[in-house]
Structures are given as C-alpha cells and as structure tokens.
Amino acid sequence: QLDPFYASIILFVGRAWDAITDPVVGFFITKTSWTRFGRLMPWIIFSTPFAVISYFLIWFVPDISSGQVMWYLTFYCIFQTLVTCFHVPYSALTMFISREQSERDSATAYRMTVEVLGTVLGTAIQGQIVGKVITPCIESPLFIGKTNSSVAMEELNMTHDTGSLTDTRNAYMIAAGVIGGLYILCAVILSVGVREKRESSELQSDEPVSFFQGLKLVMNHGAYIKLIVGFLFTSLAFMLLEGNFALFCTYTLGFRNEFQNILLAIMLSATLTIPLWQWFLTHFGKKTAVYVGISSAIPFLIVVAVRDSNLIITYIVAVAAGISVAAAFLLPWSMLPDVIDDFKLQHPDSHGHEAIFFSFYVFFTKFTSGVSLGISTLSLDFAGYQTRGCSQPSEVNFTLKMLVSAVPVGLILLGLLLFKLYPIDEEKRKKNKKALQDLREESNSSSESDNTELASIV
C-alpha cells in the first residue's frame, strides 16, 4: 500500500547504500585474522541469522499510520548490508579452496548451477504461496479518464477488499518464513561442508595495504575493468528481461495464468544447461563461450516480440532464453579468477585483494539490478501503466515489448562489442597459469633453501 514513488526511492537508496557496503566489507574481509573456521566463514556464519530476521521484517507490515517508508528503508538497507557480508565471502571462497584453475572453474559451475536452482525454488515458493491469495485484477473502466495516478491509486485502495489484503499479507509472511528457513539450511550446509585451505588463501601481506591503496590497485587493473564493463551491459539486458517478463506475459501476450510456469521454464532450462556451458568453455575457451552463449538469445527475443501471441512459441523462447541466461550466470564468475591470477602476476608483491575484486563484482551485479528496476519503473509509469489492471493501454504493451526485446538485444550487442577489448583469451590464460606455477615453485624452493641454511647455522 506504499506509493510507487516511495517504493522506488527505497530501492534506489538501498542500491546506493550497496555502493558503500560492498567494497568496504570486501576490504575488511581482507584484514580478517585467520580463525579455526577460516577467514571467510565467520562472516557467513554470523551474518546469517541477522540477515534472515531483516528479510522477514521487509515483508512485515507494521501497524503504524506514519513512518512506514523509514521502516522499509531501514530494514532494506540492513538486509542489503548483511547479504553483502554473506555473498562477498561466499563468492570469494572459490579462490580459497583451490589454486588450480580447472578446479576453480568446476567449483564455479557447481555453485552457479545451485544458485540458479535456488532462484527456481524462490520463484516457485513465492509465486505459489502468494499467487493463491493474490487479489483479483480490476477492470479497465475504473481507470478511464484518470489523469492523476495518485487519484487512481486512492480509488483502487477503496475497492481493495480488507479480508483479501489480510490474506495476502499473511501469504507474504509465510513465503518469507519458508525462504528464510532455506537460507539458514543452506548456510549450515556451507559452513559444515566447505573448508578453506590455508595454503590456498593468499591473504597475508608483509606490509598492510590501506583501503584506498588496495582499491586503486584493483580499479587500475585493465582486464578487470574491461570484464566488468562488458558484462555490465549484458547483465543489464538479462535483468530487464527478467524484471519485465511477467508483465509482458500477462498483458502483452495475454498469458495471465501461465507466466509463473513460463518463468520456471526459463530457470529450469538455465539450471540444466550450466553443465553444458562448463563443458563448452573447457573445450573452446571462455571468450568463445561468451559470444556463443549470450548472443544465442537474440533471435528468440526478436521472435517473441514480432510474432503474434502463441503459447508454444513462448515456451520455446523461454527455454532458449534459459540457455543464454545460464551462460550469463556462469561465465562472469568463471572468468573473474583468471583476472585475479593476471593481477597477481602483475603485482607479485601485493597480496590480499581477492575479496575487493569479488566485492566490486557483487556490487556491479546489484547495480545493474537497480538500474533495470529504475528504467522499468520510469518507462512503464511514463507509458501509463495501471496497477492491478486487467488490461493496459497500448502504449504500455509497446513499452513492454521494448523492455524485453529491443533494449536487451541492443545491450547484448553493445556488451559483446565492448567485450572484444577483454585481453585474457585461452592462450593468455594458459600462459598465466604456467607463470603462476613457476612463481610458486620458485617461492617454495627459496623457502626450502632458507630453512636448510638456518639448519646448518644451528
């Protein structure tokens, strides 16, 4: 029952707050002392219960006449901070369970498969629990002649059945409780089943590096910036598709009762094809996988926008989009460790920046999500979108076609064009792997000779 303007403000401020917390948390993680649980795992263990509580309170409707905006803004920012305390070390664990590139790539493939599966579970749980009690749509005559959206919302609220609203609130709380329980279960499995290898976590540094020194080193690394910029546009394309696909299916295609199943088809297709992309990048290289995997969605996005409404074609497009979504999920995280290896070769005397790399990567992922929300909200509001309407004006249908087809296609092409600047191809990756092995062997032999010399002196 919040005004959409205030809801947009809450989302925007939350994403801006992420701009502060992601790099700061990443820096503090690099300075964390080793414990019997490791360096990264304590952040995951201690942030989990508080994250679940704050997530639950985001869906709670306080019985206060004023101050709801501050309530949701506060707990949304707290939740974003606590998720950062979980997600940054969780993502960075890839670097600290093995030094081998093949093992890290395999771990990334497993991680992204389960992350997409988690998205499928979240979509199913939230959609099925809330969908059973969602309030019915309101016929368009209510909106005829409304030039002021606030007036339309006021009349909309007057028609809102109180009992149905209460049932909807309870459904959101139940869904939040179930998802919070899954959050705790997965965190327990992670903390019990994964162990950091102390020899793999090269977080120790002879001289402490200040936050700004570390940040400057990371952000001046050309391969990292080019990787981020390339995937910034492709990620934004898929975020726009994901954020508007339900509305597109409901209003433009007319599949009001099918969109949850179509969304599940996308995510299941993505889950099942991540192993395929893992095999592809192993045999043909990661840059080739990027071009083939992400660009494969383009013809299907064009078809769904230009063809008339057809349920079978929509499901085919959903499966094809899922295949491309799998590549967009897997490849950025699979390529980031290669960038960090490249950084280590260029700065062999500077250690402990891995978490900063991952924290900024997490931030840019969240940033694209916030930008896509802003673009979608403003575009639909400008087109005259009517909340809970059974149908929408033709301008809204046109805007939805642009948001799920033309704009994502343009962003994908731009991202792939920029990605040509990314310097680490398969040949470069293999050279870096060999150079790092040589450095470690040299370091180990130097350490052994020092120990031998010390023993002879004694």
Side-chain angles (χ1 to χ4, degrees):
Q1 299 273 285
L2 277 182
D3 187 287
F5 172 77
Y6 291 118
S8 300
I9 291 295
I10 290 170
L11 292 171
F12 175 79
V13 173
R15 300 298 177 181
W17 178 247
D18 264 347
I20 300 172
T21 59
D22 282 329
V24 170
V25 168
F27 175 76
F28 280 121
I29 289 173
T30 64
K31 297 303 177 185
T32 301
S33 300
W34 183 271
T35 69
R36 65 190 184 95
F37 300 106
R39 275 196 179 89
L40 305 177
M41 203 60 72
W43 286 82
I44 294 172
I45 294 172
F46 291 112
S47 67
T48 293
F50 300 105
V52 170
I53 293 171
S54 62
Y55 177 75
F56 192 77
L57 291 174
I58 288 175
W59 298 103
F60 179 74
V61 180
D63 189 17
I64 52 178
S65 57
S66 61
Q68 282 192 336
V69 173
M70 287 305 302
W71 171 282
Y72 291 116
L73 178 61
T74 300
F75 285 108
Y76 186 69
C77 289
I78 291 174
F79 175 69
Q80 291 291 348
T81 303
L82 292 166
V83 165
T84 297
C85 293
F86 183 102
H87 199 198
V88 171
Y90 162 70
S91 303
L93 269 173
T94 306
M95 295 297 297
F96 304 138
I97 57 178
S98 176
R99 287 178 172 178
E100 291 297 322
Q101 289 182 353
S102 58
E103 291 181 355
R104 293 192 313 231
D105 289 345
S106 177
T108 301
Y110 278 106
R111 178 169 71 87
M112 297 315 299
T113 301
V114 178
E115 279 198 24
V116 178
L117 181 62
T119 308
V120 173
L121 282 175
T123 302
I125 292 168
Q126 188 90 355
Q128 296 302 318
I129 294 177
V130 177
K132 291 184 182 300
V133 295
I134 201 70
T135 51
C137 67
I138 295 176
E139 295 295 338
S140 55
L142 175 68
F143 300 109
I144 295 177
K146 302 298 183 193
T147 56
N148 189 316
S149 62
S150 62
V151 174
M153 283 300 298
E154 187 175 352
E155 291 201 20
L156 177 63
N157 293 337
M158 291 171 61
T159 63
H160 215 321
D161 180 70
T162 304
S164 177
L165 182 60
T166 302
D167 291 341
T168 304
R169 287 175 175 173
N170 292 336
Y172 275 111
M173 295 296 289
I174 292 170
V178 174
I179 292 175
L182 283 174
Y183 193 124
I184 294 173
L185 175 64
C186 294
V188 169
I189 293 173
L190 175 68
S191 59
V192 171
V194 176
R195 286 289 177 268
E196 298 171 59
K197 295 181 180 178
R198 191 161 190 170
E199 65 272 15
S200 296
S201 63
E202 301 173 349
L203 284 175
Q204 297 176 352
S205 179
D206 296 333
E207 296 182 5
V209 179
S210 71
F211 174 77
F212 291 105
Q213 285 177 320
L215 185 61
K216 184 178 179 181
L217 282 172
V218 168
M219 298 311 292
N220 281 339
H221 189 58
Y224 183 60
I225 298 301
K226 290 166 185 174
L227 183 67
I228 283 178
V229 171
F231 278 112
L232 184 66
F233 289 98
T234 55
S235 298
L236 182 56
F238 286 103
M239 290 287 184
L240 283 171
L241 175 62
E242 176 189 337
N244 295 284
F245 197 73
L247 293 177
F248 178 73
C249 290
T250 300
Y251 294 113
T252 306
L253 300 181
F255 303 138
R256 176 178 293 276
N257 298 323
E258 289 286 337
F259 79 84
Q260 292 179 5
N261 296 328
I262 295 171
L263 193 59
L264 282 174
I266 294 175
M267 302 315 297
L268 284 172
S269 171
T271 304
L272 295 174
T273 51
I274 282 181
L276 169 66
W277 288 118
Q278 175 64 19
W279 173 87
F280 190 95
L281 67 86
T282 302
H283 288 78
F284 299 100
K286 297 179 182 179
K287 284 192 75 169
T288 304
V290 168
Y291 294 129
V292 175
I294 295 179
S295 63
S296 64
I298 292 177
F300 295 98
L301 293 178
I302 295 174
V303 167
V304 79
V306 299
R307 292 275 302 180
D308 294 332
S309 177
N310 184 295
L311 187 58
I312 295 176
I313 291 179
T314 304
Y315 271 107
I316 293 173
V317 170
V319 172
I323 295 172
S324 194
V325 165
F329 262 92
L330 172 66
L331 289 166
W333 294 106
S334 179
M335 299 169 81
L336 183 56
D338 299 337
V339 171
I340 297 175
D341 286 344
D342 187 67
F343 176 86
K344 288 178 180 178
L345 286 174
Q346 294 187 24
H347 305 277
D349 298 325
S350 184
H351 307 291
H353 305 304
E354 291 88 348
I356 297 180
F357 275 100
F358 277 90
S359 63
F360 270 96
Y361 219 53
V362 172
F363 161 67
F364 279 108
T365 302
K366 295 177 181 177
F367 175 76
T368 54
S369 175
V371 170
S372 69
L373 282 170
I375 292 174
S376 302
T377 303
L378 292 175
S379 301
L380 292 172
D381 185 61
F382 181 76
Y385 176 79
Q386 305 295 350
T387 304
R388 289 183 55 221
C390 291
S391 60
Q392 298 291 341
S394 59
E395 293 84 358
V396 171
N397 292 328
F398 176 78
T399 302
L400 286 170
K401 282 188 176 183
M402 293 296 103
L403 291 175
V404 302
S405 179
V407 177
V409 167
L411 289 170
I412 288 173
L413 292 174
L414 180 58
L416 293 179
L417 184 64
L418 291 171
F419 193 75
K420 289 184 70 66
L421 301 174
Y422 177 68
I424 304 178
D425 54 15
E426 199 62 17
E427 183 181 353
K428 173 76 169 175
R429 188 180 70 83
K430 290 178 180 179
K431 286 182 179 179
N432 285 351
K433 178 182 179 180
K434 186 178 185 307
L436 276 174
Q437 288 176 341
D438 292 342
L439 274 178
R440 286 167 184 150
E441 290 173 1
E442 181 182 340
S443 176
N444 291 337
S445 63
S446 175
S447 177
E448 289 174 3
S449 64
D450 290 343
N451 291 336
T452 303
E453 183 179 349
L454 179 62
S456 63
I457 291 174
V458 172

